[in-house]
Amino acid sequence: MPNFIVKTHKQNVVYTDYHIFILNKGLNSGKPQKEPFTNCFVVIFQNQDDLETVYWLAYSLWKSKYWHISLCGSVIPFLRIGEFKKNFISKVTLLLTDFEQHNKHVNALRLLEQQEQHFQKNLTLINELRRTILHNYTK
């Protein structure tokens, strides 16, 4: 079971330990990232393995819109840190009970992420080519 600390991120604080940031405002609340958001929590770990394990669990929870039921607020929904900690710790514990299955899921997610990046690059190239053709055509 990975050990981690969840805190509210403060701007201009530099973290030297292994860490990820979790967005806490808006409909993308729960989104994990390596770089800080304006409104986010920071999850601090003791080693890189724990970080990778929990990052993919947080990514899975975000993609499945798990945090939508915990959002508060009517104009800009947000996630409270107490609610996040309670649910996040219990979900991490539950999902890591079968660590072998977790590793299979993480490998599949990494592969899908790589494929998505590859397709995004191809779409960018296609759009640039389309723009070039249309630009030359309308001259």
Side-chain angles (χ1 to χ4, degrees), residues 27 71-78:
L27 293 176
L71 293 177
C72 302
S74 58
V75 177
I76 299 174
F78 64 95

Side-chain angles (χ1 to χ4, degrees), residues 19-84:
H19 59 277
I20 59 172
F21 299 96
I22 308 286
L23 183 65
N24 66 2
K25 283 205 177 165
L27 293 176
N28 270 330
S29 291
K31 180 179 182 180
Q33 188 139 335
K34 306 287 182 183
E35 300 299 319
F37 295 101
T38 302
N39 299 301
C40 66
F41 304 128
V42 62
V43 185
I44 302 170
F45 304 93
Q46 294 176 351
N47 58 50
Q48 182 67 27
D49 292 336
D50 289 351
L51 183 144
E52 285 296 316
T53 300
V54 175
Y55 173 83
W56 288 105
L57 290 171
Y59 179 84
S60 301
L61 293 172
W62 168 65
K63 275 297 199 184
S64 66
K65 300 186 186 304
Y66 175 78
W67 299 110
H68 281 213
I69 59 173
S70 300
L71 293 177
C72 302
S74 58
V75 177
I76 299 174
F78 64 95
L79 192 57
R80 290 190 173 126
I81 193 165
E83 187 79 14
F84 176 77

